[in-house]
Amino acid sequence: MKTKLEIKRGAPGETPHVQTYDVKFEAGQSVLDGLRMIRRDTDETLAFRFACINANACKECMMVIDGDIDYACTTRLKEGVMKLSPLPKKALVRDLVTEIAPPDERLKITP
Amino acid sequence: MHLETDVLIIGAGGAGMYAALEAAKAGASVIIADRSLIGRGGATVMAQMTVAAALGERAPDSWEYHLSDTLAAGRGLCNEDLARLVCEDGPHRIREMDAWKVGWARDGEHIAQVQAPGHDRPRCVYVDVLSTGPAVSKTLRTQLIHAPDIKRVGDLAIVDLVVEDGIVCGAVAHHMPTGTPVTIAAKSVIIATGGLTRLYRRNSASSNMGGDGYALALRAGAELIDMEFVQFFPIGHLAPRLVGMDPIMWDPFRYKLGGKLLNANMREFEDDYATKDKRSDGNYVLTRDLATYAITSEVAAGRGSPAGGAYLSFQHVPEDVLRKNFGPVIDKLAANGIDLTKQNIEVAPIAHYHMGGVRVDTQMRTGVDGLFACGEAIGGSNGANRLSGNAITEAFVFGALAGVEAAKYAKANTSVWSAKAAAPALDLLGSAVKDSSHNLAERVVALQALMADKVGPFRTDAKLAEAIVEIDAMIAELGTRPVSSAAAFDTVLLDWLDLRNMLLVAKSVAVPARARTESRGAHQRDDYPGLDAAWTINQTLSLQGEGFKLDRLVPNAKRVAA
Ligand SMILES: Cc1cc2nc3c(=O)[nH]c(=O)nc-3n(C[C@H](O)[C@H](O)[C@H](O)COP(=O)(O)OP(=O)(O)OC[C@H]3O[C@@H](n4cnc5c(N)ncnc54)[C@H](O)[C@@H]3O)c2cc1C
């Protein structure tokens, strides 16, 4: 099976751009599986947050998937096109990564 | 950026968070740093099963019975003093967590205790439903938030320890959101970075479990012990794709309902491999290591399931029994399109836990002044094989102890922070060149395949020798100059730093594995089948120049394992 992942990319201060990746997958695989395959096979610069991979325990892979806020690890890849973008109400770090930790668990460094 | 503290704790899993609480209680200022978010990065939050402690709530019990089961599982190699600490102090920590409202499941008035493989009586506590790890993590983080003088810092990857005149005085870190290097001066440092199972193709690891702590310890001059003993969990989930669940979840299913392991010919094969050594796994026919052997052998003989494992079948269990025992899990499975009454699932051995680790004494001191370690990052208490449920207990017990001792050390010593000693690690980060043509993410996958194929549960001299050559080649290929791609959340630099550690740690597993010419517990040699009494020895390892120094110790054992 095949899908196109249209991913909103960029860092703060840059104009965001959408990059499209073709991903081949097997039934049941998750959006997080797809993102990891992109890093392994085509573009290792793509940034997204995750720790536990697919146990849905770390709750770090939250993003906007086809318009809804969801976990990349529990959302299945589907054929056609899927649109991914970072959480809208959190400060952007880069690509799909946002600041999701409470402020007192972060170092305040202005780059 | 520069930070200062009495105690720096690296890793915010069960061990690190417990250490932070105890160090703060002892009056030390604490920074607890994690490369992920606080309480979410490692194994603790992912554990869904049980925690062992001799509470005696269900059946009379004592830490001595727990210890004798632990030593039996360790097959002669446990450091008995460390194992004793886990068993003796475990009940206290479990009750402390209970007072902090972790929510251990109840059986009437009592904390519920279930029987788990290898334990001689019902000894394991849990949080319903499959929520042990998340509940533990949340409870400890809540305690941290309310404790004085603990600074919690997520997204901070520790790159190297700083050592001045043989004394650890802090660390150099990479601030992931901005790419800024951070120095942290600390009077004492605790490594609580968890295990190394990300080194393997099939694993239950998070992305942060590539064994950073072992590499940090080695480069700081500390010793590792028992590194050849990686525990493979025999029936990790393989297929169909299952998300949102712990890959080792089939264990309680099988334990309670007796799932059948079948090969490609739909034949039960466990009895073919059964030996007299049935003790360590209670109701099971085969212990963890023997079950791993049985499945791997069936696959090697061409009788594996399509995805390369064995079938696990619960089709003989009536639906109402499945529901009665595991109702909420059955719903989660349904959401994954899995109906156990109609289909078999596929399972295979997955790397799950590391027995080996940083060598410590009973005060969690490494041999390097100012450096302590705890949790899965240390070795010794489990010997050649870990008893199920002991890992979280050990994270609590050793974490708490490391916190107390590191605080004591910090009070008794002044800071020997040296900017000069921090320079090499800062220079390393500063020397990164923009380049993303290497595809390091793929190299990580290649290393995982190499480890699975050549340093997996079944080893031979030839395979291990090849592995060491290939790891050396990968180390040379990686080079000494990091590559980077962006300032913020630099995935390429992180892969480079990960590989730097993973390759060193991979080699620190392969080298003692090659030296150990026998089969024992989690270390099985096809060319040396069977346990050799002369190998009732722990191997330690340290860095000497570019190479490893391998030493042998007689295990610290006072009683004879039952
Ligand atoms: C899926 C799964 C299920 C399990 N189930 C059970 C069970 O039911 N019962 C049981 O007893 N045991 C179980 N275990 C084992 C047990 O969970 C672990 O051994 C234990 O939780 C380890 O705790 P820890 O605090 O030592 O390490 P972890 O919880 O792994 O925490 C280590 C932390 O260190 C951080 N870190 C690593 N490197 C760095 C660095 N360079 N800089 C900064 N931070 C860093 C990581 O991000 C992580 O947050 C399970 C393990 C897994 C993987």
Side-chain angles (χ1 to χ4, degrees):
Chain A
M1 288 192 275
K2 278 190 294 199
T3 189
K4 280 188 191 305
L5 294 183
E6 292 184 2
I7 303 178
K8 188 170 163 188
R9 298 193 63 181
E14 297 172 8
T15 324
H17 66 283
V18 172
Q19 194 161 345
T20 304
Y21 298 92
D22 291 314
V23 174
K24 284 203 190 107
F25 68 99
E26 285 165 25
Q29 285 194 298
S30 68
V31 171
L32 183 61
D33 292 332
L35 291 170
R36 293 172 60 227
M37 286 188 274
I38 292 172
R39 286 213 63 233
R40 185 193 64 200
D41 299 333
T42 43
D43 186 352
E44 60 175 345
T45 70
L46 181 67
F48 47 96
R49 205 188 257 290
F50 70 103
C52 80
I53 304 181
N54 58 27
N56 195 225
C58 72
K59 313 283 183 191
E60 292 189 8
C61 63
M62 222 190 240
M63 55 186 67
V64 179
I65 304 173
D66 288 335
D68 294 322
I69 293 179
D70 221 326
Y71 294 110
C73 74
T74 54
T75 309
R76 308 286 170 153
L77 288 171
K78 62 174 199 312
E79 282 187 296
V81 176
M82 296 181 85
K83 292 185 192 320
L84 310 181
S85 57
L87 293 173
K89 299 214 170 99
K90 303 281 179 189
L92 179 67
V93 175
R94 190 166 71 85
D95 295 351
L96 297 168
V97 180
T98 51
E99 290 282 17
I100 54 172
D104 64 345
E105 292 187 348
R106 293 184 220 156
L107 275 189
K108 275 159 216 68
I109 297 180
T110 23
Chain B
M1 177 178 238
H2 182 71
L3 305 171
E4 284 177 13
T5 184
D6 289 336
V7 180
L8 167 66
I9 298 168
I10 309 171
M17 290 197 282
Y18 234 114
L21 291 173
E22 287 293 324
K25 212 197 264 177
S29 64
V30 175
I31 293 178
I32 178 165
D34 201 289
R35 52 181 282 169
S36 176
L37 303 180
I38 300 300
R40 308 209 214 167
T44 303
V45 73
M46 296 166 73
Q48 295 188 341
M49 306 302 155
T50 61
V51 187
L55 298 175
E57 296 262 338
R58 257 272 310 272
D61 200 355
S62 120
W63 64 264
E64 294 193 271
Y65 299 144
H66 186 188
L67 180 60
S68 104
D69 287 345
T70 301
L71 298 180
R75 292 184 172 70
L77 295 195
C78 293
N79 176 325
E80 195 179 304
D81 289 338
L82 293 178
R84 173 179 171 150
L85 282 171
V86 175
C87 300
E88 212 175 353
D89 191 40
H92 165 55
R93 298 300 165 190
I94 297 299
R95 292 198 192 280
E96 185 166 57
M97 289 293 289
D98 194 54
W100 291 338
K101 302 204 165 40
V102 68
W104 301 129
R106 289 299 203 264
D107 183 357
E109 294 283 282
H110 296 277
I111 295 178
Q113 288 194 280
V114 292
Q115 178 85 43
H119 294 273
D120 70 348
R121 65 197 71 208
R123 184 175 288 140
C124 293
V125 304
Y126 57 95
V127 180
D128 270 326
V129 169
L130 298 182
S131 295
T132 298
V136 159
S137 229
K138 185 162 175 253
T139 302
L140 287 172
R141 181 163 165 267
T142 303
Q143 291 298 315
L144 287 188
I145 291 171
H146 295 113
D149 236 357
I150 299 179
K151 189 171 168 63
R152 293 161 281 133
V153 187
D155 280 344
L156 191 67
I158 305 295
V159 174
D160 260 318
L161 299 173
V162 179
V163 188
E164 171 71 2
D165 270 343
I167 303 170
V168 166
C169 61
V172 169
H174 166 73
H175 183 241
M176 293 159 59
T178 59
T180 313
V182 176
T183 50
I184 308 160
K187 292 176 189 154
S188 56
V189 176
I190 303 176
I191 292 176
T193 47
L196 54 58
T197 45
R198 187 189 170 208
L199 289 178
Y200 289 88
R201 178 171 46 217
R202 290 178 183 145
N203 63 55
S204 61
S206 80
S207 58
N208 304 304
M209 288 158 67
D212 283 0
Y214 310 119
L216 293 174
L218 276 178
R219 289 195 295 263
E223 273 180 318
L224 307 183
I225 186 166
D226 294 341
M227 287 300 283
E228 63 271 42
F229 295 104
V230 180
Q231 185 171 63
F232 281 76
F233 177 79
I235 52 165
H237 186 82
L238 187 59
R241 190 77 179 109
L242 176 68
V243 297
M245 306 197 75
D246 181 340
I248 71 157
M249 59 171 286
W250 298 116
D251 209 29
F253 266 75
R254 194 160 158 252
Y255 200 73
K256 262 193 182 165
L257 307 174
K260 291 180 182 158
L261 276 176
L262 308 169
N263 63 16
N265 309 328
M266 294 299 155
R267 199 179 136 264
E268 276 194 75
F269 57 83
E270 275 190 282
D271 280 335
D272 305 348
Y273 298 87
T275 69
K276 55 201 176 308
D277 181 22
K278 293 188 183 179
R279 181 179 188 282
S280 311
D281 268 12
N283 291 344
Y284 287 167
V285 178
L286 299 177
T287 56
R288 278 190 181 181
D289 41 3
L290 284 173
T292 296
Y293 180 66
I295 295 171
T296 312
S297 303
E298 288 298 302
V299 174
R303 295 189 294 267
S305 66
Y311 291 109
L312 179 61
S313 172
F314 295 97
Q315 293 192 50
H316 59 286
V317 183
E319 186 167 4
D320 56 316
V321 177
L322 280 171
R323 278 230 156 258
K324 183 167 155 275
N325 283 285
F326 295 101
V329 187
I330 301 294
D331 292 336
K332 276 195 170 187
L333 289 170
N336 277 279
I338 296 173
D339 180 349
L340 294 179
T341 63
K342 298 201 172 63
Q343 75 196 99
N344 299 336
I345 47 139
E346 291 176 58
V347 294
I350 58 174
H352 182 55
Y353 176 84
H354 190 44
M355 270 71 75
V358 184
R359 184 178 175 207
V360 293
D361 64 11
T362 51
Q363 289 163 288
M364 303 296 116
R365 294 183 296 203
T366 68
V368 179
D369 281 344
L371 183 62
F372 298 76
C374 58
E376 192 171 333
I378 71 161
S381 62
N382 298 292
N385 195 31
R386 170 183 66 105
L387 201 57
S388 75
N390 271 20
I392 291 181
T393 315
E394 115 191 314
F396 295 165
V397 169
F398 294 150
L401 194 54
V404 170
E405 295 297 332
K408 218 188 267 173
Y409 182 95
K411 298 224 137 163
N413 291 278
T414 52
S415 169
V416 294
W417 172 253
S418 152
K420 197 163 147 255
L426 287 170
D427 290 347
L428 177 81
L429 290 173
S431 72
V433 279
K434 268 244 162 93
D435 180 359
S436 45
S437 60
H438 294 264
N439 202 358
L440 298 176
E442 185 279 329
R443 299 317 288 156
V444 171
V445 175
L447 174 62
Q448 291 171 323
L450 163 67
M451 289 299 284
D453 295 339
K454 295 181 177 159
V455 197
F458 301 98
R459 302 161 173 181
T460 62
D461 186 69
K463 284 200 274 183
L464 291 163
E466 275 171 39
I468 293 166
V469 169
E470 287 173 40
I471 292 167
D472 279 338
M474 287 182 79
I475 291 173
E477 179 197 21
L478 187 73
T480 50
R481 190 153 188 197
V483 290
S484 79
S485 65
F489 224 89
D490 189 348
T491 48
V492 172
L493 178 62
L494 281 169
D495 280 343
W496 193 93
L497 293 170
D498 279 357
L499 271 170
R500 170 183 182 238
N501 289 340
M502 289 172 83
L503 288 165
L504 178 63
V505 177
K507 197 170 165 185
S508 76
V509 176
V511 167
R514 189 172 179 213
R516 183 177 287 280
T517 49
E518 66 150 357
S519 293
R520 183 187 297 259
H523 169 79
Q524 295 291 320
R525 290 278 300 250
D526 287 338
D527 47 355
Y528 294 94
L531 190 137
D532 175 355
W535 264 109
T536 310
I537 275 174
N538 301 104
Q539 296 189 90
T540 64
L541 180 134
S542 57
L543 275 187
Q544 203 168 50
E546 296 286 287
F548 284 134
K549 184 167 164 284
L550 209 52
D551 283 314
R552 294 180 179 188
L553 285 177
V554 176
N556 171 348
K558 292 170 195 84
R559 56 189 88 197
V560 180

